[in-house]
Amino acid sequence: MGDATKASYVRGVIEGFYGVYYTFAERDDLIRYIGSIGYNQYIYGPKNDRQHRMRWREPYPEDVMAAFSRTVRVARESGVSFCYSIGSGVTMSYASEEDFRLILRKFKAFYDIGVRDFSILLDDIASSFKHEADGARYATFAEAHADVCNRLYAELQTWDSACTLSLCPTDYHGKAPFSPYLHELGEKLHPRVDIFYTGEEICSTAIRRSDAEAFALAARRPPVIWDNYPVNDLAMRPELHVGPIRGRESGVLAATRGYVVNAMAECEASKLALRTFADYFDDPEGYDADRSWANAIEEICGERSAPAFRTFAENSLESCLREPNSVKLRELLDAAMLRLRAGSSDNEEVRALGAYLTELDEACYHLKNRMYNTALRNNLLPWIEVLEHWLWMARRALLVLEAAQRGEDFKQPLGWMKESLGEIDKHPKRMTDGSLRELAALALETAEAARTAGKESDER
Ligand code: GDL
């Protein structure tokens, strides 16, 4: 990619998730961070900001605008353009002049504090008109969207020709031939208005150059990729996405106008994936996810805490990227299970599993109590907690198996093991690939067999 292309290519982060969104302090820090690693845009669009979406017609309170003004300054100082987006599709009437003016009023408030990049997010809405007037004025949804955007863009251009507008269409994922909506939108929308595309899926396992090219053909312009990794909202809330980006072909950048990454509600923990995206943007051909991840961990957690974080994170890889999770744990468990099922609990394989459980325990302790990056520590806490339940459950299962084998009483560890299982089942977060349940099942089975055998000998 030449320098000229690079200068206008959007490398962004979007705060575009559902749920609790960032505080201004978190956002300012994140903007400084992404500016320092080569990103050039921050798109503000948290779904649960009421003045952004559900109550988009309302202006922000004065003190909130003052805070935005400080954030816009932080962004400028960091070499990042702050883009304000509005999620007006939830209730707006496309035919209403008043609604059109209200969007402009919202944009103008941001224009006045220095914002020049704007976006309208029409994702996650019903794809039919809600207001009678819309059906009367427009033949299709696409026509309405194109018309509103074209008029917005024209107005923004009268304010300052540097103003940009981008759009998240209602159909923002999929594959060729794409919907009639997208084709019509592509035909009618001003060619300078960029369109977001999340790939074949909403949360895409892979994004290929051919996906972007097919989208470009339908939408009559190369898309801006909206990557839904590492975001972890809605049904993904149990997962913590701290692994590196994978599965994005190197040719995607050349076939797109920009690339924005939807972050997690866990602001500091999002930096891990964002750091690896920055390496991918810098050198898509040479991008090595494992190397990039190792560097990201050292940089964000600090050298001292990197090993503990890595041990933790290797058990937190469940995501749309479909990277295998808990590989080391699985291997150790498989080897130990062979021996345990054969009735032996005192052997090298079982000891190796025990040692790994200790490693997990030490890692959790370190991350909670010794890591300097306390913002990260606070983000990780719920996942550390559930990982601790897993490792204690496994330790207790091993105690049950050892005791049963020696013919000793195992009531106490069995009770504790069941308690841990209960904690795991009711916990809102998920860690590991869940394979340690096999160990619990074997402990329960063994305990049951021992009890039955005991009963039978009592009866005799
Ligand atoms: C979506 C939403 C986004 C959400 C993401 C992941 C787009 C364009 N919209 O569909 O706000 O965070 O899925 O759940 O991706």
Side-chain angles (χ1 to χ4, degrees):
M1 216 179 347
D3 272 355
T5 332
K6 207 167 177 177
S8 56
Y9 190 88
V10 173
R11 293 172 171 207
V13 169
I14 178 159
E15 185 180 343
F17 48 83
Y18 291 89
V20 179
Y21 56 98
Y22 301 152
T23 63
F24 276 97
E26 284 176 317
R27 188 173 303 114
D28 290 356
D29 171 75
L30 185 61
I31 290 174
R32 282 193 195 93
Y33 178 70
I34 63 165
S36 76
I37 56 172
Y39 286 82
N40 58 18
Q41 187 162 97
Y42 188 86
I43 304 178
Y44 179 86
K47 290 279 192 283
N48 286 31
D49 171 346
R50 293 185 176 167
Q51 278 81 36
H52 155 78
R53 195 160 187 262
M54 283 322 275
R55 295 196 329 231
W56 62 272
R57 292 183 181 86
E58 291 174 13
Y60 285 97
E62 237 173 73
D63 59 327
V64 177
M65 275 319 289
F68 272 123
S69 175
R70 287 190 290 274
T71 298
V72 171
R73 200 163 52 229
V74 166
R76 194 178 316 117
E77 288 162 7
S78 311
V80 172
S81 98
F82 182 92
C83 171
Y84 180 76
S85 77
I86 193 159
S88 52
V90 271
T91 57
M92 83 173 284
S93 163
Y94 304 101
S96 157
E97 207 44 42
E98 195 192 339
D99 274 359
F100 183 73
R101 291 283 141 209
L102 285 172
I103 297 178
L104 282 175
R105 180 177 78 171
K106 184 62 73 54
F107 280 2
K108 189 66 171 37
F110 282 88
Y111 178 87
D112 289 343
I113 58 169
V115 172
R116 293 295 177 269
D117 296 309
F118 298 92
S119 194
I120 174 161
L121 308 184
L122 303 177
D123 56 324
D124 298 2
I125 56 171
S127 49
S128 58
F129 293 128
K130 286 202 188 74
H131 303 269
E132 247 176 61
D134 295 352
R137 176 158 171 187
Y138 301 109
T140 62
F141 216 46
E143 186 185 304
H145 286 181
D147 182 55
V148 167
C149 290
N150 290 343
R151 287 188 291 131
L152 280 175
Y153 184 65
E155 185 74 25
L156 289 171
Q157 286 293 298
T158 68
W159 298 353
D160 184 339
S161 61
C163 284
T164 70
L165 180 69
S166 55
L167 161 71
C168 184
T170 304
D171 297 344
Y172 49 84
H173 67 99
K175 56 182 178 180
F178 292 101
S179 63
Y181 162 88
L182 192 71
H183 283 270
E184 190 183 347
L185 188 68
E187 184 193 320
K188 297 190 170 150
L189 186 68
H190 191 290
R192 299 274 298 274
V193 177
D194 284 338
I195 305 183
F196 294 121
Y197 171 51
T198 63
E200 210 173 291
E201 299 147 86
I202 295 175
C203 299
S204 292
T205 306
I207 301 181
R208 293 157 292 256
R209 184 187 179 125
S210 58
D211 297 330
E213 286 171 346
F215 186 91
L217 219 57
R220 302 198 185 190
R221 76 211 68 205
V224 171
I225 298 292
W226 167 318
D227 200 319
N228 275 324
Y229 182 84
V231 65
N232 65 343
D233 57 4
L234 307 175
M236 300 180 280
R237 273 316 277 153
E239 303 166 9
L240 182 75
H241 299 154
V242 286
I245 186 59
R246 292 183 194 272
R248 276 55 181 145
E249 268 182 19
S250 59
V252 169
L253 271 74
T256 51
R257 283 197 187 163
Y259 203 119
V260 303
V261 183
N262 195 8
M264 292 189 286
E266 286 72 23
C267 188
E268 187 70 17
S270 294
K271 289 180 180 173
L272 276 304
L274 293 177
R275 184 73 191 83
T276 66
F277 268 110
D279 287 342
Y280 166 69
F281 297 151
D282 279 343
D283 180 11
E285 296 288 339
Y287 176 67
D288 173 339
D290 295 315
R291 196 173 55 210
S292 177
W293 196 41
N295 291 339
I297 293 174
E298 287 234 335
E299 183 187 297
I300 294 154
C301 309
E303 212 181 314
R304 205 174 125 267
S305 301
F309 182 83
R310 209 186 162 101
T311 302
F312 165 87
E314 280 169 358
N315 291 288
S316 185
L317 295 175
E318 182 187 343
S319 80
C320 66
L321 302 181
R322 305 210 190 133
E323 185 177 357
N325 191 16
S326 300
V327 171
K328 188 166 177 193
L329 174 62
R330 172 94 250 177
E331 263 173 36
L332 292 165
L333 179 70
D334 284 350
M337 286 299 287
L338 279 178
R339 306 301 301 270
L340 289 165
R341 285 203 177 102
S344 157
S345 59
D346 184 16
N347 57 64
E348 211 179 293
E349 285 77 9
V350 172
R351 273 193 296 279
L353 175 63
Y356 186 65
L357 297 175
T358 301
E359 193 183 323
L360 285 177
D361 189 10
E362 290 295 324
C364 288
Y365 184 84
H366 178 94
L367 297 173
K368 270 195 302 192
N369 305 302
R370 299 284 183 260
M371 182 163 64
Y372 296 139
N373 185 343
T374 50
L376 181 60
R377 174 247 188 216
N378 291 340
N379 280 176
L380 304 184
L381 270 183
W383 285 272
I384 293 176
E385 188 180 76
V386 73
L387 183 58
E388 286 178 329
H389 288 310
W390 275 112
L391 75 92
W392 278 105
M393 188 282 285
R395 281 175 166 173
R396 290 162 175 175
L398 288 175
L399 289 178
V400 172
L401 291 165
E402 280 160 19
Q405 208 173 74
R406 287 199 294 260
E408 292 168 10
D409 183 53
F410 49 74
K411 254 201 256 41
Q412 202 174 48
L414 185 66
W416 290 340
M417 184 195 86
K418 286 180 182 167
E419 239 171 61
S420 298
L421 274 175
E423 295 291 344
I424 291 164
D425 289 339
K426 69 177 186 223
H427 206 283
K429 304 304 181 195
R430 266 200 311 266
M431 282 293 280
T432 82
D433 66 343
S435 53
L436 285 170
R437 280 189 197 278
E438 291 169 26
L439 192 59
L442 183 64
L444 287 168
E445 222 174 86
T446 310
E448 193 46 40
R451 235 190 325 253
T452 319
K455 235 196 272 162
E456 277 168 7
S457 71
D458 285 351
E459 279 162 9
R460 253 185 253 125

